[in-house]
Amino acid sequence: MTSFNLLKWLREERQSRKLILFIVFVALLLDNMLLTVVVPIIPSYLYNLDESADVALRNNTLSQQDAPGSFHSIVSLYDNTVRLSGSNTTARSTELVPPTPATAQQPQNSSDCPQSTSKLLNENVKVGMLFASKATVQLLTNPFIGPLTNRIGYQLPIFIGFCIMFLSTIMFAFSSSYALLFLARSLQGVGSSCSSVAGMGMLASVYTDDEERGHAIGIALGGLALGVLVGPPFGSVMYEFVGKTAPFLILAFLAVFDGGTVAFFFLAPKPSSHQKGTPLLTLMKDPYILIAAGAICFGNMAIAMMEPTLPIWMMETMCARKWQLGVAFLPASISYLIGTNIFGTLAHKMGRWLCALIGMMVVGISVICVPFARDIYGLILPNFGVGFAIGMVDSSMMPIMGYLVDLRHVSVYGSVYAIADVAFCMGFALGPSIGGSVAESIGFPWLMTIIGVVDIFFAPLCLFLRNPPGQEEKIVRFKTHINTVKTNNHTHVHTYGQFRVWKHANSMQKDPGRDANQGS
């Protein structure tokens, strides 16, 4: 009897919207923890790898110069000289000092000021390219994942995404070279594309009311925010006191048991929709979708440029310790979590266009203020502003993407959220790669000034999203006080403010009798 009740409960919960929301929350949490846990680890780890390689090269060079063949040294206690049995040379002991222990052990030294500033600046490009590889691969994968979810559904891509993220995490844990780290980061882009596109599309398909959808996407973005919040400090503390491998093994464990298992056993496959979605190229030509995607791209590009360059700038100017490199992002992560939860609901009431416009302005002003910090405490306020403002932009633009599809196209959401994820990835692909090179060439302060000005100038474009026009054949204006709407198996009704959007599953023809009843 107990097993029967359990199976009945499982069948009921597998169709639960709250369970689907939880699955998407976990997917975004794991993806962004893996995305950000490397932020404080990789710059320091690559610097240590290069230092270790240089020390080993110097030792080998000295060994080849001083010891062409095998020899034994004889120490004279009379005159403090060392005589080599394989040669006739005699040297004072003070002249045969090996490389200093401090130099040889530099990579393991957790003290704070790197001895080679020029080498540290050269790390900007390597770190930037490594961070950008994930977003670049995800950018290339998204156009295929979006239409794929329209055909096969959302459940299988989410499960595949968890599996790929597990493999990528294991590679991060045990990679000891730049090439393997680059491969692991790139592989994560494929898994992230599967989980994020399918997850957001699934939410949009089960939360059909615009206000409910905005609230649900705000909660899901809370998982993204929590991953961004926990990732950098978790990575820096674990790297400082446990080692590089530990944080990635913990994330691999979570990916298997919290992600893949839940997605595989609790999400039942649903029959594919008979409604054909709007082609991806058609959506990409929609100017309103492009404005929303641009806000997502440039808003997130600010924090994407900071991720590889801010830790290196802190090591150069503040002599920051390893754990401080990740903790510096804590204010931005906390404020992003606050912003997405507040404006997930509030943006619908105040106007999502206005929320995004204010958010873009605040992002620009905040990043311009970042280089004025002289210690880690000076980074608290500008980083808090950056995170809070990006939370405003994301929680406004993600729901409006689904709204624009409902208003102007066919309500199938895989492709439009592929575009949203492409915009997100462009920010995180161009940001680190361009940011690393620009920071090396003209400096970190000018880099922050440039991206800040770009965000401020982009903000007024959000005015066009205030009242986007819809397709006439999909919009029917109704009187304000309509309390009941009849539905049947072929017609579904969704509410968007003053609009009722009628979507016919089998045909676009209207039933005159039904329309007459609605008008009366």
Side-chain angles (χ1 to χ4, degrees):
M1 187 65 180
T2 304
S3 61
F4 175 77
N5 292 333
L6 179 61
L7 291 175
K8 182 179 178 181
W9 178 81
L10 287 177
R11 280 196 300 268
E12 293 175 353
E13 290 300 317
R14 289 170 84 165
Q15 309 299 329
S16 171
R17 295 196 305 176
K18 292 182 179 179
L19 182 60
I20 292 175
L21 178 58
F22 173 75
I23 297 295
V24 178
F25 180 93
V26 172
L28 295 178
L29 170 67
L30 291 175
D31 180 33
N32 287 275
M33 277 196 71
L34 182 57
L35 175 71
T36 57
V37 76
V38 301
V39 169
I41 296 176
I42 293 300
S44 177
Y45 184 72
L46 289 179
Y47 177 78
N48 291 344
L49 282 180
D50 290 342
E51 282 293 298
S52 298
D54 289 346
V55 169
L57 181 62
R58 286 196 299 267
N59 289 340
N60 290 337
T61 303
L62 290 174
S63 176
Q64 292 174 2
Q65 292 176 351
D66 296 340
S70 61
F71 62 88
H72 302 284
S73 59
I74 303 174
V75 180
S76 171
L77 300 178
Y78 174 71
D79 59 355
N80 289 330
T81 60
V82 178
R83 183 173 295 278
L84 305 180
S85 61
S87 65
N88 293 326
T89 57
T90 302
R92 291 286 174 181
S93 60
T94 56
E95 297 172 356
L96 291 175
V97 177
T100 61
T103 302
Q105 297 177 1
Q106 166 76 18
Q108 281 75 33
N109 186 9
S110 61
S111 161
D112 313 317
C113 293
Q115 297 186 2
S116 178
T117 304
S118 61
K119 184 178 297 182
L120 186 64
L121 291 176
N122 291 335
E123 296 293 334
N124 274 295
V125 177
K126 292 178 64 177
V127 173
M129 295 302 293
L130 179 64
F131 283 6
S133 62
K134 181 258 185 188
T136 303
V137 172
Q138 189 172 351
L139 182 69
L140 299 175
T141 309
N142 279 336
F144 301 98
I145 299 298
L148 181 65
T149 58
N150 293 343
R151 290 195 295 267
I152 68 172
Y154 304 110
Q155 292 78 18
L156 184 60
I158 285 185
F159 176 70
I160 294 175
F162 278 121
C163 295
I164 295 176
M165 280 193 284
F166 167 76
L167 180 60
S168 172
T169 308
I170 292 296
M171 289 185 64
F172 264 118
F174 297 104
S175 296
S176 57
S177 67
Y178 181 81
L180 289 177
L181 290 171
F182 192 91
L183 179 61
R185 183 75 167 182
S186 301
L187 187 63
Q188 185 198 350
V190 180
S192 179
S193 178
C194 293
S195 60
S196 58
V197 172
M200 299 303 290
M202 184 186 302
L203 280 184
S205 65
V206 297
Y207 287 93
T208 53
D209 179 75
D210 189 42
E211 186 173 2
E212 288 184 350
R213 179 186 295 162
H215 181 64
I217 290 179
I219 294 175
L221 290 177
L224 186 153
L226 191 61
V228 173
L229 168 66
V230 175
F234 172 73
S236 59
V237 172
M238 293 292 287
Y239 180 47
E240 172 85 14
F241 300 106
V242 182
K244 178 181 81 74
T245 304
F248 297 109
L249 291 181
I250 294 175
L251 290 181
F253 175 84
L254 291 176
V256 171
F257 291 98
D258 289 348
T261 306
V262 173
F264 185 78
F265 287 105
F266 286 89
L267 284 180
K270 296 181 180 180
S272 59
S273 174
H274 295 289
Q275 199 172 20
K276 185 178 180 180
T278 304
L280 184 65
L281 290 178
T282 303
L283 295 176
M284 292 179 66
K285 294 177 183 178
D286 190 319
Y288 299 95
I289 291 178
L290 290 180
I291 291 174
I296 295 172
C297 176
F298 289 111
N300 286 277
M301 190 180 291
I303 193 70
M305 285 186 171
M306 290 173 60
E307 283 185 353
T309 55
L310 180 62
I312 295 174
W313 182 73
M314 291 173 62
M315 293 167 66
E316 178 189 359
T317 61
M318 302 178 187
C319 298
R321 296 178 63 89
K322 292 177 182 177
W323 65 268
Q324 292 177 331
L325 303 180
V327 172
F329 290 92
L330 198 59
S333 305
I334 293 175
S335 61
Y336 184 87
L337 180 63
I338 296 172
T340 52
N341 280 276
I342 291 177
F343 290 98
T345 303
L346 184 60
H348 178 77
K349 299 178 180 178
M350 65 181 288
R352 293 196 174 107
W353 65 273
L354 179 61
C355 185
L357 189 150
I358 295 173
M360 293 294 290
M361 295 288 292
V362 176
V363 169
I365 295 171
S366 298
V367 296
I368 291 175
C369 295
V370 168
F372 292 101
R374 292 294 172 260
D375 53 36
I376 191 172
Y377 302 105
L379 292 171
I380 293 176
L381 187 59
N383 280 6
F384 187 92
V386 170
F388 188 80
I390 295 176
M392 294 177 67
V393 175
D394 286 354
S395 60
S396 302
M397 293 297 99
M398 286 294 186
I400 213 172
M401 295 292 256
Y403 169 69
L404 289 172
V405 167
D406 283 326
L407 190 65
R408 298 170 56 81
H409 303 281
V410 180
S411 300
V412 178
Y413 306 99
S415 294
V416 74
Y417 281 108
I419 293 175
D421 206 46
V422 163
F424 185 83
C425 294
M426 284 188 67
F428 277 89
L430 298 178
S433 55
I434 295 176
S437 301
V438 173
E440 184 182 21
S441 301
I442 63 176
F444 178 77
W446 277 108
L447 172 67
M448 293 292 98
T449 301
I450 291 172
I451 186 59
V453 170
V454 169
D455 284 343
I456 291 173
F457 275 97
F458 186 89
L461 292 178
C462 296
L463 285 168
F464 289 100
L465 299 176
R466 181 176 183 178
N467 189 21
Q471 293 181 355
E472 294 181 0
E473 65 270 18
K474 291 189 64 178
I475 300 176
V476 179
R477 294 182 180 273
F478 280 89
K479 296 178 181 180
T480 307
H481 303 288
I482 294 180
N483 298 322
T484 60
V485 178
K486 297 181 181 180
T487 61
N488 54 40
N489 293 332
H490 302 288
T491 306
H492 306 279
V493 180
H494 300 275
T495 305
Y496 301 100
Q498 62 179 335
F499 298 117
R500 301 277 182 178
V501 181
W502 294 84
K503 292 181 291 297
H504 300 263
N506 296 330
S507 68
M508 295 297 295
Q509 297 178 353
K510 297 181 180 180
D511 183 353
R514 186 188 62 223
D515 291 343
N517 292 335
Q518 292 293 343
S520 60

